[in-house]
Amino acid sequence: MAASATALSAAPNSKIQGVQLGVITYSFRGSNDLDEIIKNISDIGLSEVELMANHAESVAGAPMPAPRPPQGPRPSGPPTPEQLAAMRARMNGPEAQKAREDLRKWRLSASMSAFQPVKKKFSDAGIDLRLLCFNMNESFTDDEFEYMFQVAKTLGVKAITTSTQLTVAKRVAPFADKHKILVGYHGHDNVKDPNEFSTLETFETAMSYSKYNGLNLDIGHFVAANSDPIALIRKHHQRITNLHLKDRKKDHGPNTVWGEGDTPIGAVLQVMKKEKYPFPANIEYEYRGQGTPAEEVAKCFDFCKKALA
């Protein structure tokens, strides 16, 4: 009994002033070592997590590409056309296509029992595995959508989050209805493409497809798209799976160190506190700081605690 009490007292608790703060494991990109990621989350003191599918699948035995090495400080300004072209070439090249097909084949033959150790790792650490982030695109098959929901049910998450397109959201809607699991669609700031999530209208269109289609609102990207995250939160709080916290400049400006951009992170957290919204606010470390990802996420957590004080 004493050992259980000690373990319980050592569990992290990042519910601050009634606001559940957490992190998406994408913040620790550069590593597929889930044990290391969980240790970092626990050491920082965060008690809720949004788990990237690749981090879960790596434990379950999926074929994984080598992680990209950590990048240095981000250059100022948006990427150049040449940089964007090089990125698209990497994503659509033959090596990437083969990796995509290998992963698809693995997914369609995977046993759900392979995901039980993933769930146990978070449970043992006293961290609430609340969300599964499973990014999709138009190449995904219906079988992969079914697989995604089965993984979510096995892990026991409360919702799925995803970066994808409206056309995909319409295809996912019947699966969300079938499994009765909320799907939070993540937006960016590409307001020129009506198939990309970026505006209030795109989110509302997705929500019209199913009562289980919701929002994973990235307040930084929403501000970069020159929209008001607080107004959207107040209007659609019942359909929000979670927030992503980051700081960006308006007019499609860059990610910044928190407090140096235009995103009202503190005001958003105060609204969550006042209105007692139950969804979590998850740190997404995306600017390129001088420290390790764990050190920068810890700084972001400190920023949130001060904003809620």
Side-chain angles (χ1 to χ4, degrees):
M1 282 298 251
S4 298
T6 301
L8 186 62
S9 66
N13 180 9
S14 56
K15 196 166 193 176
I16 310 296
Q17 299 289 330
V19 177
Q20 181 61 66
L21 299 169
V23 67
I24 180 170
T25 60
Y26 168 79
S27 299
F28 304 97
R29 58 199 173 280
S31 172
N32 277 331
D33 186 337
L34 189 57
D35 291 326
E36 178 187 359
I37 290 170
I38 290 173
K39 183 179 186 306
N40 284 332
I41 293 170
S42 183
D43 287 348
I44 292 165
L46 293 163
S47 58
E48 182 272 333
V49 72
E50 179 180 357
L51 178 63
M52 294 292 294
N54 63 293
H55 289 142
E57 290 175 324
S58 67
V59 174
M64 286 285 127
R68 294 174 63 187
Q71 296 169 297
R74 189 187 186 98
S76 60
T80 65
E82 292 77 16
Q83 290 170 329
L84 288 172
M87 181 170 54
R88 292 191 190 101
R90 285 195 304 271
M91 293 173 63
N92 298 315
E95 186 176 335
Q97 291 296 326
K98 182 181 184 305
R100 173 78 181 91
E101 285 305 315
D102 288 346
L103 181 57
R104 191 200 308 269
K105 289 176 184 176
W106 180 88
R107 284 171 171 166
L108 300 187
S109 64
S111 167
M112 290 300 106
S113 63
F115 288 93
Q116 289 295 342
V118 178
K119 182 177 181 179
K120 187 175 187 300
K121 286 176 186 290
F122 286 98
S123 178
D124 288 349
I127 297 171
D128 178 18
L129 176 51
R130 186 180 180 110
L131 300 153
L132 173 67
C133 180
F134 196 104
N135 293 329
M136 302 174 282
N137 58 48
E138 291 174 328
S139 74
F140 276 59
T141 65
D142 286 357
D143 285 341
E144 285 179 283
F145 295 153
E146 179 65 24
Y147 160 85
M148 173 180 72
F149 281 94
Q150 292 298 337
V151 173
K153 290 166 79 170
T154 301
L155 293 176
V157 298
K158 295 179 177 63
I160 294 167
T161 61
T162 184
S163 291
T164 191
Q165 295 78 40
L166 269 169
T167 46
V168 177
K170 191 169 188 177
R171 292 176 55 208
V172 168
F175 292 89
D177 289 338
K178 171 185 172 182
H179 293 286
K180 296 180 171 56
I181 294 177
L182 192 64
V183 181
Y185 293 93
H186 177 276
H188 293 92
D189 65 321
N190 183 4
V191 296
K192 294 182 179 179
D193 187 344
N195 197 31
E196 294 291 333
F197 285 93
S198 61
T199 63
L200 173 63
E201 291 73 24
T202 53
F203 287 115
E204 290 182 336
T205 298
M207 287 190 286
S208 74
Y209 298 147
S210 167
K211 68 179 181 179
Y212 292 101
N213 273 0
L215 299 90
N216 163 210
L217 179 63
D218 186 308
I219 64 172
H221 291 324
F222 206 57
V223 164
N226 296 321
S227 296
D228 179 1
I230 293 176
L232 186 150
I233 290 167
R234 290 189 182 280
K235 183 175 183 181
H236 290 299
H237 60 90
Q238 292 182 327
R239 300 280 287 271
I240 293 176
T241 58
N242 63 306
L243 303 184
H244 279 179
L245 304 181
K246 66 163 61 76
D247 203 353
R248 282 190 67 180
K249 293 282 191 179
K250 293 179 180 178
D251 299 321
H252 314 286
N255 289 291
T256 71
V257 172
W258 288 23
E260 296 181 6
D262 296 317
T263 310
I265 299 173
V268 165
L269 292 174
Q270 284 294 331
V271 168
M272 291 182 67
K273 173 183 170 182
K274 179 181 179 182
E275 302 298 337
K276 298 181 171 58
Y277 291 140
F279 51 82
N282 287 340
I283 295 163
E284 184 177 11
Y285 165 53
E286 206 160 35
Y287 66 90
R288 294 181 189 165
Q290 299 299 319
T292 66
E295 290 169 341
E296 296 299 330
V297 170
K299 292 176 187 176
C300 295
F301 185 32
D302 286 342
F303 184 101
C304 294
K305 287 186 285 188
K306 290 174 182 175
L308 284 165

